[in-house]
Amino acid sequence: MLEEAGFAGVRIGPPVDTFKGARGEKNARRFAVYGYSFLARKLE
């Protein structure tokens, strides 16, 4: 999807536990929800 939006060299980082300690942590665990960082450059 990022490439279709005009980005190149897309890199996806490892999964990060963004719900640790949050109210929805139990549901996040049940559905294996994680955050991911992205790095890309915009094509002109």
Side-chain angles (χ1 to χ4, degrees):
M1 181 164 55
L2 288 172
E3 283 116 354
E4 291 173 8
F7 289 90
V10 178
R11 301 281 185 249
I12 303 171
V16 177
D17 182 4
T18 57
F19 285 93
K20 187 174 184 176
R23 216 172 18 167
E25 181 178 5
K26 187 176 179 181
N27 288 331
R29 297 280 169 268
R30 186 179 328 152
F31 296 104
V33 176
Y34 295 97
Y36 293 86
S37 59
F38 292 87
L39 178 65
R41 68 183 194 295
K42 180 73 172 161
L43 298 175
E44 295 185 40

